[in-house]
Structures are given as structure tokens and as C-alpha cells.
Amino acid sequence: MIRALILIATLLAPVPALAHNVIASVFPSGQDIEGEIGMSDGSMAVNKLVEVFDDTGTKLGETTTDDDGFFVFTPIQPVTHVFRADLGAGHVAEAILPGAEVAQLMGQGAAGASATASVLAGAPEAMQSGTAGLNDATRAEIATMLRNELRPIRQELTAFKNKSDFQSVLGGIGYIFGLFGLGFYIAARRKLGAGK
């Protein structure tokens, strides 16, 4: 009887799906919007069409990912930009850059900062003060170098976050199986105790 219950519980137990999540992010990049699209397993969306819409659904343009899953789009309107890419098999990537950030990178921000300065705004204070005496071309070159160097780090952080989430799910499933095992052990002990 117990063997039959164990067999039924094993057959009815949920099997963890080895699915992967879509990774999509966008960020200001000089006077452009740069983004990346890929999957949590580390594969990137290569040569995929990325359509750009505003928050009302009006199409603003399109671009294509490169061999590393990155794309660049130059905004012409200071509105919210929604980036969508169909990756197939029901996977749709979507990333949003709010209108205020788009306006700022276009030089229409409330602070009136230049687009290159907005890229460096997230940099450490020492770096910002170190670039104060540089001309705009040099600042743009430094910003481009920083973006290129930070790309792999950003990808690794996103992959690590998704991996940690998957490990938490597997750990939870392990606890469930452990509780079932404990329940069967207690039931078996009671049955053996009642049979004496």
C-alpha cells in the first residue's frame, strides 16, 4: 500500500521546468538609447528586429540587434520609448525607457545637462570631477569606453540574478519532497506501531 502511495505521489509531483527567462534592458548612451536582449541561459538575441513604440502604441521606428544581442536607437521625440522584440517560441522581450530620461539625453531635461554628462551622471564623483576639464569629444569617447567595458559585467549580473532565482525554486521543490518523505516516514512508523 505504501509503495503504491509513493509511486502515485512521485507520478503526480510537479516536474521543474527548465525554462529560461527573457533578459531585456535599455539605458541612455550619449545621445542614443542602447539596449541588450537575450535569454537567462546566456544566449543573446542575434540579428532580431526590435520595434520601438511610444506609450500609446504609436510606432517610432525599429532597429536590429547585433551579434552580441545589443542594439542602438536614436530618439527623435522626448517621449517614453517601449522596445519590443519577438524572439520566437512565445518569448517577447520588452524594455521601457521613461520619457523624462529620453528628454534628458536629448538635451531637453530639466537640469539642462548635456547628453554626455547624463551618461557620466551615474559614475563615481571622482570620475565626474576628473572629466571637468575635458572637451565634449573626449568626454563622449570616455563614455563610450565605459559603456563597452560595463557591458559584460551587466550581462554577468543579470545571468547571476536569474541563476539565483532558479536555485531558490529548486530549493523550494527539495523542501516539498523532504516534507513528503517525512510524512511517509511518520505514517509508516504509526502503521508499524499499530500492527504490534
Side-chain angles (χ1 to χ4, degrees), residues 28-32 104-107 112-121 143 147:
S29 175
Q31 295 181 344
D32 299 323
Q104 186 177 5
L105 74 90
M106 292 179 70
S114 71
T116 304
S118 71
V119 171
L120 293 173
R147 284 190 302 274

Side-chain angles (χ1 to χ4, degrees), residues 13-14 39 64 66 69 87 105 144 148 155 160 162 172-173 178 186 194-195:
M39 305 303 268
T64 307
D66 63 13
L87 305 180
L105 74 90
T144 301
N148 291 339
Q155 284 178 325
F160 178 74
N162 286 319
I173 292 171
I186 291 171

Side-chain angles (χ1 to χ4, degrees), residues 60-145:
L60 301 173
E62 55 187 42
T63 184
T64 307
T65 59
D66 63 13
D67 292 338
D68 295 322
F70 288 95
F71 63 87
V72 176
F73 182 79
T74 304
I76 56 173
Q77 298 177 33
V79 297
T80 298
H81 282 57
V82 180
F83 297 84
R84 284 193 195 112
D86 184 358
L87 305 180
H91 294 104
V92 177
E94 183 175 291
I96 300 172
L97 191 66
E101 290 186 43
V102 176
Q104 186 177 5
L105 74 90
M106 292 179 70
Q108 300 176 11
S114 71
T116 304
S118 71
V119 171
L120 293 173
E125 190 173 320
M127 184 178 293
Q128 292 180 34
S129 63
T131 61
L134 301 175
N135 63 25
D136 288 341
T138 306
R139 286 183 186 180
E141 194 173 315
I142 290 172
T144 301
M145 288 173 24

